[in-house]
Amino acid sequence: MHNVTKALLFSVAAITATTVHAVPFADGPEDTTKIRSEPIAGLYNKPWYAYLADVREAEQELGSDLRGATDAEDQRDAWEEYHHELVDADKDYVKKMRERGYRAGRVTVG
């Protein structure tokens, strides 16, 4: 197995172990940004790995932005950007899977 493949699998395992991040905003209640822990329809395909790569990139950028933050506004901006990147990554993933004929499951109670 190539070192790049091993690194990717390690990153995938680390990302999938985390399912929900609480995103604190300094001026309001915590927002929960969900990160998928399982692929749609159980398919481990290119769109799934692209999604995981987008999540990992957003996490790295968040860390970098927080390290460079000089005040609460910078921190809030970093968390907001992180939230938006996660939402965009999920939308892109769902769209790609819909194009392939798969839909994200939804459970409604009541």
Side-chain angles (χ1 to χ4, degrees), residues 10-22:
F10 178 75
S11 295
V12 168
I15 292 169
T16 58
T18 305
T19 57
V20 177
H21 291 278

Side-chain angles (χ1 to χ4, degrees), residues 8 19 26 29 32 50 55 59 61 65 69 81 86 94 106:
L8 178 61
T19 57
T32 55
V55 169
E59 289 175 344
E61 189 172 323
D65 289 349
E81 181 180 348
L86 291 180
V94 169
R106 188 181 316 188

Side-chain angles (χ1 to χ4, degrees), residues 51-107:
Y51 168 75
L52 293 178
D54 290 344
V55 169
R56 180 71 177 143
E57 183 180 344
E59 289 175 344
Q60 289 175 338
E61 189 172 323
L62 172 64
S64 175
D65 289 349
L66 289 175
R67 282 189 297 278
T70 58
D71 58 19
E73 185 177 348
D74 288 347
Q75 290 178 353
R76 186 173 44 255
D77 289 345
W79 281 106
E80 286 177 7
E81 181 180 348
Y82 173 68
H83 169 77
H84 290 295
E85 288 183 20
L86 291 180
V87 169
D88 287 344
D90 193 70
K91 285 181 182 178
D92 291 345
Y93 173 58
V94 169
K95 180 180 176 185
K96 289 175 188 174
M97 292 302 286
R98 278 191 184 142
E99 290 170 355
R100 289 172 166 76
Y102 299 99
R103 302 249 182 239
R106 188 181 316 188
V107 177

